[in-house]
Amino acid sequence: MAEPATPAVVGFGDRLTAVFDKFGQLCVGIDPHAWLLQEWNLPDSAAGSREFGLRVVEAASGRVGIVKPQVAFFERHGSAGFAALEDVLAAARDAGLLVIADAKRGDLGTSVEAYGQAWLAQGSPLECDAMTISAYMGVGSIEAPMRLAEQAGKGLFVLAATSNPEAFQVQTAIVASGASAGRSVAASIVGDVVSWNKLHTSGVGGSVGVVLGATVDFSAFGIDLAGLAGAPSTPVLAPGFGHQGARYSQLASLYGPAAPHAVVSASRSILRAGPAGIADAISSQASEVLACRG
């Protein structure tokens, strides 16, 4: 008797596109800051963070398609914090939400491979749909998690141009040699990711995206936004909306041809609504983002 065919893996870019089509592009951050836990009348502890995260998941379910837990706010509580995070991640995935772990891990060789396995491998206690990652040692240094993402239908978002002022000098520094000579560091990372997706993607969108802050002047970084919108498209994680100053109405003007592929991330502007108001805040802001798609 013939063995049953192995189901084809649906790439992360295609999964992300399906979420956009169903719920729009808003991504709700799960950031249990100490001050937010206090505003929610929850203890600043692993248990409080767990309760906070589960309430956000409950409010997000059916209203948006993506959540982004900030790992650091759980990690600060040690092993109990990680256990709390595992519960939140499992609840989010059970609710059908696409989960991006904002972990910003980065290393090389077997170490970065292990980070990929921790956050992307099927059955891992920390399993997510995508993770943020740093390629400070070069995009080639994260090849192992990129391959894992490709094989498992998962995603990565590589830090490229971030909104913090300290980043400008480093990320606009000019690469001295190699294929990217003459480009800024940020533009080099974007170019390498786009090239990877072209070589490793059979669907409409790539498995590897980039992080481009919404308050960044991309022209000053030498970043070609049109290149992100090619075939296949390269996903963009776009933090900086809401509390950090960018407005949803600016989505098209900020990201240009890459706007339809941007995960529009907001945290504090939603979370400050509190447990009684967060569901309405999510619905309202999701509708606002959806209206900006045109």
Side-chain angles (χ1 to χ4, degrees), residues 162-183:
T162 58
S163 300
N164 58 306
E166 300 88 355
F168 185 80
Q169 287 187 325
V170 174
Q171 293 173 0
T172 58
I174 302 302
V175 177
S177 61
S180 294
R183 289 181 175 181

Side-chain angles (χ1 to χ4, degrees), residues 103-132:
K104 297 185 178 71
R105 298 301 195 246
D107 211 316
L108 46 76
T110 54
S111 297
V112 79
E113 182 178 16
Y115 280 134
Q117 291 166 347
W119 297 99
L120 303 178
Q122 186 174 3
S124 168
L126 294 168
E127 183 183 358
C128 297
D129 298 288
M131 65 180 288
T132 57

Side-chain angles (χ1 to χ4, degrees), residues 23-24 26 57-65 97 278-280 282-283 286-287:
F23 292 105
L26 182 65
V57 166
E58 182 180 12
S61 179
R63 295 180 174 88
V64 291
L97 293 161
I278 186 171
D280 287 343
I282 291 173
S283 294
S287 296

Side-chain angles (χ1 to χ4, degrees), residues 132-143:
T132 57
I133 194 165
S134 171
Y136 183 76
M137 290 175 276
V139 172
S141 71
I142 61 169
E143 181 176 346

Side-chain angles (χ1 to χ4, degrees), residues 217-238:
D217 177 0
F218 301 122
S219 62
F221 285 69
I223 291 173
D224 175 20
L225 293 171
L228 296 165
S233 60
T234 292
V236 175
L237 179 58

Side-chain angles (χ1 to χ4, degrees), residues 139 158 188-198 208-210 234:
V139 172
V158 186
S188 171
I189 290 172
V190 171
D192 285 349
V193 169
V194 169
S195 295
W196 172 273
N197 284 332
K198 286 180 178 178
V208 185
V210 290
T234 292

